[in-house]
């Protein structure tokens, strides 16, 4: 059985959350891009480029957020399971050994 310490899970959740923030900032920056200043010959292609990348970045941001939430949830599940296992074990040992 592989054991992952709680702090490792917590840090991984924070790392994914930070990645979601970085991706959100990147998406905002793309949204503010002034492609019209590139001129009529380039603006249409630049608009498609920006929108394509925004779509991809937004999907990656959502995925990073989901990873962070999943890690946080599994950490809480592990903690609750460990607590219950500890309680169950204490119920099985003699009172003096608790």
């Amino acid at each position: 059985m592989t054991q992952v310490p709680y702090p490792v899970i917590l840090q991984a959740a924070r790392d994914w959350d930070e990645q979601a923030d970085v991706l959100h900032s990147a998406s905002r920056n793309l949204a503010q891009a002034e492609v019209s200043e590139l001129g009529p010959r380039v603006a249409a292609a630049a608009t498609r480029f920006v929108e394509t990348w925004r779509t991809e970045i937004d999907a990656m941001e959502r995925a990073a957020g989901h990873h962070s939430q999943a890690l946080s949830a599994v950490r809480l599940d592990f903690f609750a399971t460990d607590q219950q296992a500890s309680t169950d074990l204490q119920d099985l040992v003699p009172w003096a050994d608790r």
Side-chain angles (χ1 to χ4, degrees):
M1 178 169 106
T2 302
Q3 295 180 344
V4 180
Y6 293 127
V8 172
I9 297 171
L10 183 61
Q11 185 59 50
R14 286 180 184 154
D15 291 346
W16 277 113
D17 195 43
E18 288 175 16
Q19 287 302 311
D21 289 343
V22 168
L23 290 163
H24 182 74
S25 294
S27 180
R28 257 194 335 223
N29 289 340
L30 279 173
Q32 295 171 356
E34 295 291 338
V35 294
S36 61
E37 293 179 6
L38 297 173
R41 291 178 26 180
V42 180
T47 298
R48 284 192 304 276
F49 176 84
V50 167
E51 287 307 312
T52 299
W53 274 106
R54 277 199 68 211
T55 300
E56 290 297 318
I57 289 172
D58 290 347
M60 289 187 288
E61 177 190 352
R62 285 190 300 277
H66 291 308
H67 293 329
S68 176
Q69 292 170 357
L71 284 165
S72 295
V74 81
R75 184 180 64 85
L76 291 175
D77 287 345
F78 286 168
F79 183 75
T81 301
D82 287 352
Q83 290 289 76
Q84 187 60 51
S86 177
T87 299
D88 292 347
L89 181 60
Q90 286 180 356
D91 290 344
L92 296 173
V93 298
W95 186 261
D97 294 330
R98 293 184 188 185

